[in-house]
Amino acid sequence: MRGYLDNLRSELYGERDYFKAATRSSKSKGKGVSRSHHDVGPLKILNDSVKHLMHKFKNLEEPFLRDPPSRKQMDVEKSEPSLRGDYLDMGLGLRYIWLRTKPDIISLANDVSRIQMRRLAFDTGSVLSAIHSVERSLRDFDDRLWSLEEHLLGEELEDGKIYVKRRYPDR
């Protein structure tokens, strides 16, 4: 029980922290490439999904906590999460509750896994797009360099070969 809940808690808080940092970096327009408005849309949707899953997790976790958090503790927990819960020892009643909630917890873990996959797909797409952009820039640079080299060194004839123009200093 503790393993399931602790792992799920750490996964959820990790995703929440990632989306918090990603949306923060998308808003800042410092160095690097800033995201356009349509790039941030999937992040916001996934972030909302993580918030919803965290709310579900807290409701499922509450019966197993030694001291269920009050409203004030939940506000503090939002700013600095503890990745390990303080859970009750397993008794007969708690085992019964665990058997009833375990399928929901496993389903929640699967949902978190799906969100992680979508996030990885989004990140991979963003990186791939950036690589293609750099590749286009390098091709443009190579074409410009080639044109400059042709202009300075020689000319290209119909056969595709470059013939060097020899320049002799005035004697």
Tab-separated table of all heavy atoms in Angstrom, residues 24-51:
chain	number	residue	atom	x	y	z
A	24	ARG	N	5.751	28.395	-16.896
A	24	ARG	CA	6.502	29.588	-16.492
A	24	ARG	C	7.516	29.966	-17.576
A	24	ARG	O	7.645	31.135	-17.923
A	24	ARG	CB	7.208	29.344	-15.158
A	24	ARG	CG	7.719	30.611	-14.519
A	24	ARG	CD	8.349	30.357	-13.158
A	24	ARG	NE	7.547	29.515	-12.284
A	24	ARG	CZ	7.983	28.400	-11.700
A	24	ARG	NH1	9.213	28.000	-11.861
A	24	ARG	NH2	7.192	27.692	-10.922
A	25	SER	N	8.224	28.978	-18.115
A	25	SER	CA	9.233	29.279	-19.140
A	25	SER	C	8.583	29.694	-20.451
A	25	SER	O	9.177	30.434	-21.221
A	25	SER	CB	10.145	28.078	-19.365
A	25	SER	OG	9.451	27.051	-20.017
A	26	SER	N	7.362	29.235	-20.711
A	26	SER	CA	6.690	29.650	-21.944
A	26	SER	C	6.219	31.096	-21.857
A	26	SER	O	6.095	31.768	-22.871
A	26	SER	CB	5.515	28.729	-22.245
A	26	SER	OG	4.481	28.937	-21.312
A	27	LYS	N	5.984	31.587	-20.653
A	27	LYS	CA	5.559	32.973	-20.487
A	27	LYS	C	6.733	33.939	-20.554
A	27	LYS	O	6.587	35.068	-20.992
A	27	LYS	CB	4.832	33.148	-19.153
A	27	LYS	CG	3.495	32.453	-19.108
A	27	LYS	CD	2.847	32.599	-17.759
A	27	LYS	CE	1.567	31.793	-17.680
A	27	LYS	NZ	0.977	31.818	-16.355
A	28	SER	N	7.907	33.501	-20.110
A	28	SER	CA	9.063	34.391	-20.114
A	28	SER	C	9.622	34.484	-21.523
A	28	SER	O	9.646	33.522	-22.272
A	28	SER	CB	10.137	33.876	-19.152
A	28	SER	OG	10.659	32.664	-19.625
A	29	LYS	N	10.061	35.652	-21.878
A	29	LYS	CA	10.607	35.870	-23.213
A	29	LYS	C	12.046	36.301	-23.105
A	29	LYS	O	12.451	37.330	-23.608
A	29	LYS	CB	9.794	36.907	-23.957
A	29	LYS	CG	8.367	36.452	-24.191
A	29	LYS	CD	7.636	37.352	-25.105
A	29	LYS	CE	6.229	36.810	-25.296
A	29	LYS	NZ	5.498	37.539	-26.267
A	30	GLY	N	12.812	35.497	-22.414
A	30	GLY	CA	14.235	35.784	-22.253
A	30	GLY	C	15.017	35.191	-23.405
A	30	GLY	O	14.614	35.248	-24.560
A	31	LYS	N	16.140	34.602	-23.085
A	31	LYS	CA	16.984	33.976	-24.095
A	31	LYS	C	16.276	32.769	-24.698
A	31	LYS	O	15.398	32.190	-24.111
A	31	LYS	CB	18.294	33.501	-23.471
A	31	LYS	CG	19.101	34.604	-22.868
A	31	LYS	CD	20.340	34.017	-22.218
A	31	LYS	CE	21.073	35.066	-21.423
A	31	LYS	NZ	22.185	34.508	-20.675
A	32	GLY	N	16.730	32.389	-25.867
A	32	GLY	CA	16.204	31.183	-26.495
A	32	GLY	C	14.938	31.456	-27.275
A	32	GLY	O	14.503	32.593	-27.454
A	33	VAL	N	14.332	30.386	-27.720
A	33	VAL	CA	13.135	30.479	-28.536
A	33	VAL	C	11.919	30.500	-27.623
A	33	VAL	O	11.753	29.636	-26.785
A	33	VAL	CB	13.054	29.263	-29.492
A	33	VAL	CG1	11.807	29.321	-30.335
A	33	VAL	CG2	14.302	29.180	-30.346
A	34	SER	N	11.081	31.517	-27.798
A	34	SER	CA	9.870	31.557	-26.988
A	34	SER	C	8.781	30.777	-27.711
A	34	SER	O	8.721	30.742	-28.932
A	34	SER	CB	9.436	33.006	-26.757
A	34	SER	OG	9.133	33.615	-27.993
A	35	ARG	N	7.922	30.150	-26.955
A	35	ARG	CA	6.850	29.358	-27.544
A	35	ARG	C	5.755	30.292	-28.034
A	35	ARG	O	5.482	31.317	-27.427
A	35	ARG	CB	6.249	28.416	-26.511
A	35	ARG	CG	7.218	27.425	-25.944
A	35	ARG	CD	6.462	26.571	-24.942
A	35	ARG	NE	7.349	25.798	-24.138
A	35	ARG	CZ	7.661	24.542	-24.397
A	35	ARG	NH1	7.162	23.950	-25.433
A	35	ARG	NH2	8.477	23.891	-23.609
A	36	SER	N	5.123	29.904	-29.113
A	36	SER	CA	3.990	30.691	-29.568
A	36	SER	C	2.754	30.241	-28.798
A	36	SER	O	2.776	29.234	-28.096
A	36	SER	CB	3.796	30.518	-31.066
A	36	SER	OG	3.593	29.163	-31.371
A	37	HIS	N	1.660	30.966	-28.952
A	37	HIS	CA	0.482	30.693	-28.131
A	37	HIS	C	-0.110	29.309	-28.370
A	37	HIS	O	-0.649	28.709	-27.462
A	37	HIS	CB	-0.571	31.771	-28.364
A	37	HIS	CG	-1.141	31.745	-29.756
A	37	HIS	ND1	-0.463	32.260	-30.825
A	37	HIS	CD2	-2.293	31.243	-30.229
A	37	HIS	CE1	-1.185	32.092	-31.920
A	37	HIS	NE2	-2.292	31.472	-31.590
A	38	HIS	N	-0.003	28.757	-29.578
A	38	HIS	CA	-0.599	27.448	-29.822
A	38	HIS	C	0.267	26.317	-29.267
A	38	HIS	O	-0.215	25.214	-29.101
A	38	HIS	CB	-0.868	27.241	-31.314
A	38	HIS	CG	0.366	27.219	-32.159
A	38	HIS	ND1	0.984	28.365	-32.586
A	38	HIS	CD2	1.101	26.182	-32.624
A	38	HIS	CE1	2.046	28.045	-33.293
A	38	HIS	NE2	2.144	26.729	-33.338
A	39	ASP	N	1.522	26.559	-28.982
A	39	ASP	CA	2.374	25.521	-28.413
A	39	ASP	C	2.066	25.260	-26.941
A	39	ASP	O	2.348	24.189	-26.444
A	39	ASP	CB	3.853	25.903	-28.526
A	39	ASP	CG	4.371	25.808	-29.940
A	39	ASP	OD1	3.804	25.038	-30.727
A	39	ASP	OD2	5.333	26.511	-30.234
A	40	VAL	N	1.532	26.246	-26.256
A	40	VAL	CA	1.288	26.131	-24.822
A	40	VAL	C	-0.044	25.442	-24.534
A	40	VAL	O	-0.244	24.912	-23.454
A	40	VAL	CB	1.351	27.530	-24.168
A	40	VAL	CG1	1.122	27.450	-22.681
A	40	VAL	CG2	2.681	28.185	-24.452
A	41	GLY	N	-0.919	25.368	-25.514
A	41	GLY	CA	-2.237	24.772	-25.323
A	41	GLY	C	-2.197	23.357	-24.764
A	41	GLY	O	-2.872	23.065	-23.768
A	42	PRO	N	-1.435	22.450	-25.376
A	42	PRO	CA	-1.389	21.083	-24.828
A	42	PRO	C	-0.844	21.040	-23.404
A	42	PRO	O	-1.287	20.226	-22.595
A	42	PRO	CB	-0.449	20.343	-25.786
A	42	PRO	CG	-0.484	21.116	-27.044
A	42	PRO	CD	-0.720	22.537	-26.649
A	43	LEU	N	0.102	21.922	-23.098
A	43	LEU	CA	0.642	21.942	-21.733
A	43	LEU	C	-0.433	22.336	-20.730
A	43	LEU	O	-0.516	21.749	-19.651
A	43	LEU	CB	1.811	22.928	-21.631
A	43	LEU	CG	3.103	22.518	-22.319
A	43	LEU	CD1	4.149	23.618	-22.149
A	43	LEU	CD2	3.614	21.213	-21.780
A	44	LYS	N	-1.249	23.298	-21.083
A	44	LYS	CA	-2.308	23.723	-20.167
A	44	LYS	C	-3.337	22.624	-19.955
A	44	LYS	O	-3.796	22.407	-18.833
A	44	LYS	CB	-2.983	24.986	-20.703
A	44	LYS	CG	-2.124	26.221	-20.599
A	44	LYS	CD	-2.855	27.452	-21.049
A	44	LYS	CE	-1.962	28.669	-20.900
A	44	LYS	NZ	-2.630	29.883	-21.351
A	45	ILE	N	-3.671	21.917	-21.026
A	45	ILE	CA	-4.638	20.821	-20.906
A	45	ILE	C	-4.073	19.715	-20.010
A	45	ILE	O	-4.759	19.220	-19.115
A	45	ILE	CB	-4.993	20.270	-22.302
A	45	ILE	CG1	-5.796	21.318	-23.072
A	45	ILE	CG2	-5.779	18.975	-22.196
A	45	ILE	CD1	-5.965	21.004	-24.534
A	46	LEU	N	-2.815	19.344	-20.247
A	46	LEU	CA	-2.201	18.307	-19.424
A	46	LEU	C	-2.054	18.767	-17.979
A	46	LEU	O	-2.228	17.974	-17.048
A	46	LEU	CB	-0.845	17.900	-20.000
A	46	LEU	CG	-0.895	17.149	-21.334
A	46	LEU	CD1	0.500	16.936	-21.879
A	46	LEU	CD2	-1.627	15.836	-21.185
A	47	ASN	N	-1.731	20.047	-17.785
A	47	ASN	CA	-1.614	20.592	-16.430
A	47	ASN	C	-2.951	20.511	-15.701
A	47	ASN	O	-3.000	20.126	-14.524
A	47	ASN	CB	-1.111	22.035	-16.493
A	47	ASN	CG	-0.787	22.596	-15.132
A	47	ASN	OD1	-0.448	21.862	-14.216
A	47	ASN	ND2	-0.885	23.895	-15.008
A	48	ASP	N	-4.041	20.834	-16.391
A	48	ASP	CA	-5.366	20.723	-15.777
A	48	ASP	C	-5.689	19.271	-15.434
A	48	ASP	O	-6.285	18.991	-14.392
A	48	ASP	CB	-6.438	21.295	-16.711
A	48	ASP	CG	-6.352	22.803	-16.846
A	48	ASP	OD1	-5.688	23.448	-15.996
A	48	ASP	OD2	-6.932	23.338	-17.810
A	49	SER	N	-5.272	18.356	-16.298
A	49	SER	CA	-5.497	16.934	-16.022
A	49	SER	C	-4.731	16.492	-14.778
A	49	SER	O	-5.252	15.733	-13.957
A	49	SER	CB	-5.057	16.086	-17.215
A	49	SER	OG	-5.822	16.402	-18.342
A	50	VAL	N	-3.497	16.965	-14.636
A	50	VAL	CA	-2.696	16.613	-13.457
A	50	VAL	C	-3.350	17.169	-12.197
A	50	VAL	O	-3.415	16.478	-11.173
A	50	VAL	CB	-1.243	17.111	-13.607
A	50	VAL	CG1	-0.491	17.020	-12.298
A	50	VAL	CG2	-0.520	16.312	-14.673
A	51	LYS	N	-3.847	18.392	-12.261
A	51	LYS	CA	-4.534	18.972	-11.090
A	51	LYS	C	-5.741	18.123	-10.704
A	51	LYS	O	-5.984	17.869	-9.518
A	51	LYS	CB	-4.963	20.403	-11.391
A	51	LYS	CG	-3.833	21.389	-11.413
A	51	LYS	CD	-4.344	22.786	-11.744
A	51	LYS	CE	-3.200	23.774	-11.844
A	51	LYS	NZ	-3.669	25.110	-12.238
